[in-house]
Amino acid sequence: ALDNMGHVYTSNVMVAYDYALRMGAHVVSCSFGPRSLNLQPDARELALDAQEVRLYEQAVRPMAQKGVLLVAAAGNDDTDLDQLRDVNMSYLPCTLDLPNVVCVAASDSDNQIYRKDYTSRPSQASNTGRATVHIAAPGSDIDSTLLGGAYGNKSGTSMATPIVAGAAALVLSVLGAADGNFYQ
């Protein structure tokens, strides 16, 4: 769903969701979110965000009807996503108000919300939110693939999200769901 520069476009996400649905996926992992948060939107920004939410809902609702779990990263902006929803803005797909969406924060090795303070650049910390974020998973110093085929440590909700998605897939492989409703 990302272009070669790592940018996320709604149209690409919609195509990816449709593909996952057509291919019979049971769990979809989404380690992406918007480029920036806006806690003080103007009327135009609110209208654009509402339009994007409708597009995401149209794509994710059929997944919910088929029992597909969507596991989404909460992001790393050190923001309470409940505050974002309070001003009628979203962090897609994490803040979708649909029963099959699980929003994931990152935790550190001390089982606390992940936070990394830097002296030369802004801090990085997992987004939170009592109403919007559902679970936290390890997201600090995770071995991952890097560009060019190398391996290295990465941190944040993009590392935590596939851990939750993988755990959900393992549970489904053992338990399944007779009614096809895999995320219940």
Side-chain angles (χ1 to χ4, degrees):
L2 287 79
D3 69 9
N4 60 353
M5 298 297 291
H7 298 122
V8 177
Y9 294 96
T10 301
S11 57
N12 292 354
V13 174
M14 300 304 104
V15 170
Y17 287 170
D18 180 63
Y19 179 80
L21 190 60
R22 285 185 292 111
M23 294 296 110
H26 300 295
V27 180
V28 175
S29 182
C30 302
S31 287
F32 59 83
R35 287 187 202 134
S36 63
L37 300 178
N38 186 351
L39 292 168
Q40 297 177 331
D42 61 29
R44 181 185 149 281
E45 292 164 329
L46 286 167
L48 287 172
D49 189 71
Q51 183 179 22
E52 191 172 24
V53 168
R54 283 191 298 277
L55 286 171
Y56 268 82
E57 287 175 342
Q58 287 175 332
V60 176
R61 194 169 282 115
M63 295 168 76
Q65 293 165 348
K66 293 279 187 176
V68 178
L69 178 67
L70 190 141
V71 183
N76 306 302
D77 306 291
D78 196 15
T79 300
D80 182 337
L81 295 182
D82 294 347
Q83 292 176 352
L84 198 62
R85 287 180 78 181
D86 288 346
V87 296
N88 295 315
M89 292 295 284
S90 64
Y91 192 94
L92 296 170
C94 202
T95 56
L96 285 173
D97 193 20
L98 294 171
N100 63 320
V101 176
V102 174
C103 185
V104 181
S107 62
D108 63 19
S109 59
D110 294 323
N111 205 25
Q112 301 297 311
I113 293 298
Y114 167 74
R115 172 176 206 80
K116 180 74 173 183
D117 293 315
Y118 297 99
T119 55
S120 60
R121 59 183 172 144
S123 296
Q124 178 189 25
S126 177
N127 292 341
T128 58
R130 286 188 177 273
T132 52
V133 177
H134 305 107
I135 193 170
S140 176
D141 295 323
I142 305 296
D143 288 332
S144 182
T145 55
L146 304 174
L147 292 176
Y151 294 91
N153 284 345
K154 296 190 84 173
S155 296
T157 61
S158 288
M159 298 295 101
T161 298
I163 291 172
V164 172
L170 285 171
V171 169
L172 292 175
S173 74
V174 173
L175 300 180
D179 65 357
N181 195 350
F182 289 101
Y183 60 83
Q184 292 286 327

